[in-house]
Amino acid sequence: MAYGQQDDSGGWRARFKRPDGTWGSKSGFPSERAAENWGNEQEALIRRHMWIDPRDGETPFGTFAREFLDALAPRLEPSTLAKYKSHLDSQLLPQWSAWPLIGIFNNYVEIEKWVSELHDDYADSTVASVFATFSTMLNAAVRARCMPANPCSGIRVTSGAYESDRLVANPVQALRAAMRLHTTAGLSGVVLCLMDLYTGARWSELVGQQRHEYDRENRAICIQEPLKEIGGNLFKGGRRVGPGGALEGTIPASASQRPKRRGKAAKRGRTKSPAGTRWVPLPPGIATAYETLMHSHDSPWVFCTPDRAPLRRSNFRQRCWRPAWDGVRPDEPRHSRHAPAILSDFSFHEGRHSHNTWLTEDGVPEVARRARLGQKMKGIARVYDHVTPAMTKDLLQSLETRWVKSVASLSVAERAQLLLWIPRLRASLATDEDLIAISSPFAS
């Protein structure tokens, strides 16, 4: 039973019993009745399991964040753990390290100011990512009974600017950009661009492909261990990529079998979600280009640099991808190096958007589109909708038709160059006389 007790200053102190049986107190009440009422309120909250120990609320954010991350680290992907640590060291601890958790809860306006300051230094996407990490840690503090609620709820993170629409490339633009990539990235660049647009796979899923992950009989790639970059190092399946593209540790088992669901032992290096572990069949023309690339070198990585190492995103984007799509000196037509833009600012990820848009235009069912992209259906459709062989056949036929039409749209010189790089295309493309002009070098 709570009670009031007079203290040395002449005021009153509330005394109440904590859940562990010890006595808690708080000073500063003007009367015995006020102190007793406050103590009774604390004990009522304790009985309803809603009480928060003021001592826990005084825990500094920095102390709690480190303890939380240490507890969570064994269950996190290395890339996620690296992201959390980066956010803590660069943005969260410099601002909030010494703040008590209850102080953060009671200072909503300070959080708003901090978010506004972040927008002065970082892009919207970075601010959103940092804020999500902060909110995740405060949610953990709520569950740990260190604060009554998460003060991040309801805070607007974006700057309010309109988001630009995603760009969608057509098959001819995709093919011409792919051919430009031969100058800077060789055949790997050509085929990687085509695979981006014709599979909808993510960057990490494509550049992480190895020879043993290709099913030659069904002409499909197996996506189960994407290539991840953490702290400047590349990892596949939890194993670090060493000099010359060699994987440290044991070599993975053959991927000719159906991808397996993840167990505890296979958690490292997994796909973004369980649905992301999948087979992606290739349309015939793209499969031919992919197989030609594999025959052109002996690296275990299908997409590789001249020294047999896997590609790195930042290098490829700046040196290869951007010039191919943005052009070279596009506003100087008389310059010797002039190359007009194909689709300025088109990103590798927008190839995934373009792929899905193509399939939508061709009437491919949503369940087949989502399965190809490694996504789950929403709602009850997740239970009742399934991909059939007929759907897969129609999907591949629609993509092959787009591919053949894109080749037919090239000039004679462009088609001749494409066949010089990938001679095996002659047989597959020459079969459709309605789409390939008689003057084409492979319409024989």
Side-chain angles (χ1 to χ4, degrees):
M1 177 68 177
Y3 64 93
Q5 182 183 63
Q6 196 165 22
D7 57 26
D8 296 338
S9 64
W12 291 86
R13 176 188 294 113
R15 298 277 288 172
F16 66 97
K17 187 168 289 189
R18 299 191 186 100
D20 60 3
T22 61
W23 285 92
S25 66
K26 182 180 178 181
S27 301
F29 295 96
S31 66
E32 182 180 9
R33 175 61 63 87
E36 184 178 332
N37 288 342
W38 186 87
N40 286 331
E41 288 175 3
Q42 303 311 301
E43 291 189 349
L45 290 172
I46 290 171
R47 288 192 295 273
R48 296 199 297 271
H49 304 287
M50 297 174 63
W51 181 71
I52 294 177
D53 193 330
R55 297 172 299 180
D56 293 335
E58 294 298 324
T59 304
F61 172 81
T63 301
F64 179 84
R66 291 189 181 93
E67 291 178 354
F68 169 69
L69 203 55
D70 288 343
L72 202 62
R75 305 197 306 275
L76 291 177
E77 282 288 308
S79 56
T80 303
L81 180 60
K83 179 184 72 173
Y84 283 173
K85 287 183 176 179
S86 175
H87 291 168
L88 272 177
D89 295 340
S90 301
Q91 292 95 9
L92 299 182
L93 295 182
Q95 170 69 24
W96 303 108
S97 180
W99 279 67
L101 291 171
I102 198 64
I104 297 176
F105 171 75
N106 289 321
N107 279 274
Y108 163 83
V109 174
E110 285 297 322
I111 300 177
E112 289 279 15
K113 287 181 181 179
W114 173 65
V115 172
S116 297
E117 291 169 358
L118 287 178
H119 278 290
D120 293 337
D121 300 321
Y122 303 100
D124 279 8
S125 58
T126 301
V127 175
S129 183
V130 171
F131 186 81
T133 300
F134 184 53
S135 183
T136 295
M137 292 184 173
L138 294 190
N139 276 331
V142 173
R143 292 192 291 271
R145 309 305 297 274
C146 293
M147 60 169 61
N150 186 348
C152 291
S153 177
I155 291 180
R156 181 176 182 176
V157 181
T158 60
S159 62
Y162 291 104
E163 292 186 5
S164 58
D165 292 335
R166 289 287 187 178
L167 297 175
V168 175
N170 62 48
V172 179
Q173 290 173 323
L175 179 52
R176 285 205 162 104
M179 293 180 67
R180 279 188 182 179
L181 282 163
H182 192 276
T183 303
T184 53
L187 190 57
S188 280
V190 177
V191 180
L192 179 60
C193 183
L194 294 175
M195 290 286 285
D196 177 30
L197 275 293
Y198 282 89
T199 67
R202 301 175 178 89
W203 165 269
S204 60
E205 295 171 341
L206 289 176
V207 297
Q209 285 296 304
Q210 293 191 300
R211 293 176 179 275
H212 68 270
E213 293 175 309
Y214 182 62
D215 183 344
R216 292 181 179 274
E217 181 178 352
N218 295 305
R219 307 188 91 176
I221 60 173
C222 176
I223 296 177
Q224 56 183 346
E225 292 180 343
L227 188 69
K228 300 185 179 183
E229 186 169 353
I230 305 170
N233 295 313
L234 296 176
F235 294 86
K236 180 176 173 66
R239 296 178 296 276
R240 182 177 176 274
V241 180
L247 279 176
E248 296 179 350
T250 58
I251 298 175
S254 172
S256 60
Q257 302 176 0
R258 183 178 181 82
K260 298 179 180 179
R261 292 295 180 187
R262 298 301 186 208
K264 291 183 179 180
K267 139 180 158 168
R268 296 297 183 191
R270 59 190 173 191
T271 52
K272 191 172 183 179
S273 67
T277 300
R278 64 200 188 277
W279 285 103
V280 179
L282 307 180
I286 305 303
T288 298
Y290 191 77
E291 291 165 1
T292 300
L293 174 61
M294 287 196 294
H295 292 151
S296 69
H297 61 77
D298 61 356
S299 170
W301 304 94
V302 178
F303 302 103
C304 62
T305 62
D307 61 355
R308 305 176 77 250
L311 300 175
R312 287 182 178 266
R313 186 176 195 131
S314 57
N315 291 344
F316 184 84
R317 180 182 183 276
Q318 294 300 326
R319 300 176 185 177
C320 308
W321 187 267
R322 289 269 54 89
W325 288 93
D326 299 346
V328 177
R329 297 184 181 271
D331 300 326
E332 302 177 39
R334 296 185 179 180
H335 196 279
S336 59
R337 297 181 57 220
H338 167 74
I342 292 177
L343 187 58
S344 295
D345 299 323
F346 185 80
S347 67
F348 194 93
H349 186 71
E350 283 172 324
R352 184 172 169 84
H353 288 255
S354 299
H355 180 75
N356 187 64
T357 302
W358 293 357
L359 297 181
T360 302
E361 287 179 342
D362 294 341
V364 174
E366 182 183 4
V367 63
R369 301 199 310 269
R370 285 189 174 271
R372 189 169 179 83
L373 294 176
Q375 300 170 337
K376 286 184 178 180
M377 290 289 287
K378 297 185 182 298
I380 197 65
R382 184 183 304 177
V383 178
Y384 288 102
D385 288 6
H386 305 282
V387 181
T388 65
M391 289 182 190
T392 302
K393 180 180 178 181
D394 291 344
L395 182 153
L396 293 177
Q397 182 58 56
S398 71
L399 290 174
E400 182 67 8
T401 299
R402 285 179 176 269
W403 161 250
V404 173
K405 286 182 177 180
S406 72
V407 176
S409 299
L410 298 177
S411 67
V412 172
E414 288 173 324
R415 290 198 295 267
Q417 183 64 75
L418 182 63
L419 276 179
L420 184 64
W421 297 332
I422 313 174
R424 291 176 57 200
L425 285 176
R426 182 186 300 272
S428 61
L429 292 172
T431 58
D432 197 330
E433 296 182 357
D434 293 332
L435 297 177
I436 306 301
I438 297 300
S439 59
S440 168
F442 47 82
S444 56

